[in-house]
Amino acid sequence: MHTTVKHTIWLLALTLPSAQLTAQKKADRKTLGNLQAHITYLASDKLEGRLTGSPGEQLAAGYISAQMKQAGLAPKGENGYLQTFPVNEGKTIAPASSLTINNNALTPIEQYIPLPFSAEKSAKGEVMPAVNEPDNIWLLNVKDFEADPHTDPLEVYKQAAAEAAKAGATGVVFYNGPESAADVHKWLSRESTPLTIPVMWVTDGISKTMENAEEVKVSMNVAFGTSKRTGTNVIGFLDNKAPATIIIGAHFDHLGKGEDHNSLSPNDKSIYNGADDNASGTAALIELARMLKSAHFNKYNFLFTAFSGEELGLFGSKYLADHSPIDLGTVDYMINMDMIGRLDTSKGLQIGGIGTSPAWPELVKSVTPAGLKLTLDSSGTGPSDHTSFYLKNVPVLFFFTGSHADYHKSSDDADRINYNGEMVVLKMVYDIVEKTNGMTKLAFTKTKDKQMGTSARFSVTLGIMPDYTWQKNGVHVDAVTEGKPAYKAGLAVNDIIIRLGEHPVTNLEAYMQALASFKKGDKTTVLVMRGAQEKKFNIQF
């Protein structure tokens, strides 16, 4: 399966003198053994899938730190090699929350969920489902609502609860809602201004109790906690006293046991070891640190960065780019390695970011082994950590050997890695560094945006780069592409898109779904929050 790549390495090796060839083979054997050792440990069950903020993530961070120290890198985090960052995931249902129906205490999430705009208050009363009285709890049947299907359902609930509060209700319980409990539970991650009364949503079984009862005795109390966890980046620095620095990065976090609901086997609760995603890139990062330490490419310093929080939305790399231990203005370029352990010569190697510097196409071509197929993507953006640095006007390259059947599944294990193939990628990165060591600073060029994956199919683009780490309502604009509709209309960085035409934009998926309803030539409006002001712009796709 991998004979072409192996043959390529052998042909290149023939050009070396025999003594040098023997040393090269020995060095390669050492690197291959190290790659296997790193991946075997990082993708072991002991680390329990390296979920951001978990003990397994900390074990991985400790291992990477130790390897950086052994390679001779100086610590460049805030605490040794470590840089911590917050991941704010919104509200949780606090233990003090309760809902009792006819003296039966209900179970949170399984039977009821406080809505994110609820006041943290209590209320009680004896209620007839069809009668809404002032100074009492209201039971509202969602089947009776007449809502525009394009309206955000959470806003429908909030509007109904606000009207009930205005009419004197002391609390609201919604029943017969069409959503699943899982969907409603996700709403707690959205920021919403609280009303003056407690508000809850109940599941199907409790809804039937409401429907069939002449009178319902209700006691409710809403209390929220905050879901925050701390992620950890690992940062090592090779200081050659040079004016320019190269950043080499890879994320080391993965899915744990699927707790964040981002696996492709949602019913599989076993450990997601993430050997390819991304123990492979992390192992290459460690080995490149060791190799570059002894290479003496003194034109550059090197910042080696192992990111966490990538699987949640580039949290770690975005934090590092915003809180860099070095001046990003001195950075010549950034190379990101994400999933480089499954090189298949029939499919080849994918490299993104080719358009971020005019120097890249020729450089990449010059280091590519004969016979290795390349798939090139000009965009500086995409669903991995190079995006965070491209948005700071840093040229980037993204190495990726492609998706596969084990992606985001518990079968992504170390025994499925193509270690010889990973060596090919690692050597290409090394060769790029070697070649740029004799060049002037690489120029930066902006590229067309690469949209994130979505279930929606769309034929138009607004021309904005969304902030993948944004956890609040709407879509936060991280960048605006010159010449695109958003740029022509006057949208700006840090605007928050809350509506596209008649479609509420509550998150990135809603934004993509809204885009899918338009075609080239259509005219519409975009509603944004700019600071505390609401602004509307006319758009033509």
Side-chain angles (χ1 to χ4, degrees), residues 173-456:
V173 178
F174 290 105
Y175 65 101
N176 280 335
E179 303 83 11
S180 69
D183 287 338
V184 175
H185 189 230
K186 287 178 184 177
W187 290 349
L188 291 176
S189 66
R190 291 169 55 181
E191 194 169 89
S192 189
T193 305
L195 301 179
T196 57
I197 59 172
V199 185
M200 291 191 174
W201 177 96
V202 296
T203 54
D204 288 345
I206 308 305
S207 294
K208 289 181 172 59
T209 301
M210 304 281 197
E211 271 189 319
N212 299 326
E214 291 184 8
E215 191 169 75
V216 181
K217 188 176 180 181
V218 180
S219 176
M220 60 193 296
N221 183 57
V222 173
F224 290 121
T226 303
S227 177
K228 287 185 178 179
R229 53 177 143 161
T230 299
T232 303
N233 293 326
V234 189
I235 313 169
F237 192 55
L238 178 53
D239 188 359
N240 288 324
K241 310 299 181 187
T245 298
I246 294 171
I247 299 176
I248 299 179
H251 80 88
F252 71 94
D253 63 305
H254 197 52
L255 309 187
K257 297 178 183 177
E259 294 94 330
D260 291 320
H261 310 289
N262 49 0
S263 82
L264 293 182
S265 302
N267 296 321
D268 183 356
K269 303 303 179 186
S270 52
I271 297 172
Y272 291 74
N273 283 318
D276 188 29
D277 187 13
N278 185 36
S280 65
T282 306
L285 177 81
I286 293 168
E287 287 308 291
L288 279 165
R290 184 179 59 79
M291 293 163 67
L292 291 170
K293 171 66 175 175
S294 59
H296 304 297
F297 296 148
N298 292 330
K299 178 193 167 184
Y300 297 115
N301 310 311
F302 295 90
L303 192 75
F304 295 92
T305 57
F307 307 109
S308 190
E310 191 272 352
E311 299 290 2
L312 299 175
L314 316 188
F315 275 91
S317 59
K318 182 174 174 61
Y319 185 86
L320 190 143
D322 288 339
H323 303 82
S324 176
I326 62 169
D327 179 3
L328 290 184
T330 67
V331 173
D332 202 349
Y333 58 88
M334 187 269 180
I335 291 181
N336 179 34
M337 299 173 290
D338 192 351
M339 295 177 62
I340 59 167
R342 295 288 194 96
L343 186 64
D344 179 343
T345 53
S346 66
K347 296 177 181 177
L349 174 67
Q350 299 178 33
I351 304 179
I354 289 290
T356 62
S357 176
W360 282 143
E362 189 59 37
L363 266 171
V364 168
K365 181 181 176 182
S366 71
V367 302
T368 302
L372 178 61
K373 178 182 175 183
L374 292 184
T375 300
L376 303 178
D377 180 7
S378 66
S379 178
T381 67
S384 193
D385 293 304
H386 58 287
T387 298
S388 301
F389 297 91
Y390 166 76
L391 293 176
K392 300 291 187 182
N393 296 334
V394 173
V396 297
L397 282 181
F398 169 40
F399 286 80
F400 173 56
T401 54
S403 198
H404 44 76
D406 301 313
Y407 172 69
H408 276 203
K409 294 180 181 176
S410 59
S411 50
D412 182 9
D413 287 321
D415 60 358
R416 303 195 177 193
I417 296 296
N418 172 7
Y419 291 97
N420 286 306
E422 178 156 345
M423 273 286 289
V424 172
V425 179
L426 186 153
K427 285 186 173 185
M428 287 178 68
V429 174
Y430 181 92
D431 289 347
I432 285 172
V433 173
E434 183 175 27
K435 285 180 178 292
T436 57
N437 191 60
M439 296 171 58
T440 56
K441 182 177 172 65
L442 272 61
F444 171 76
T445 49
K446 290 188 176 181
T447 67
K448 293 181 179 180
D449 294 343
K450 186 179 183 68
Q451 302 286 2
M452 290 290 284
T454 174
S455 57

Side-chain angles (χ1 to χ4, degrees), residues 33-45:
N34 289 348
L35 288 173
Q36 189 160 4
H38 300 323
I39 294 174
T40 298
Y41 176 76
L42 291 169
S44 65
D45 284 354

Side-chain angles (χ1 to χ4, degrees), residues 51-54 57-58 83-89 227-233 308-309 312:
L51 186 77
T52 299
S54 70
E57 179 217 41
Q58 291 300 299
Q83 178 192 57
T84 57
F85 58 90
V87 179
N88 189 340
E89 299 173 287
S227 177
K228 287 185 178 179
R229 53 177 143 161
T230 299
T232 303
N233 293 326
S308 190
L312 299 175

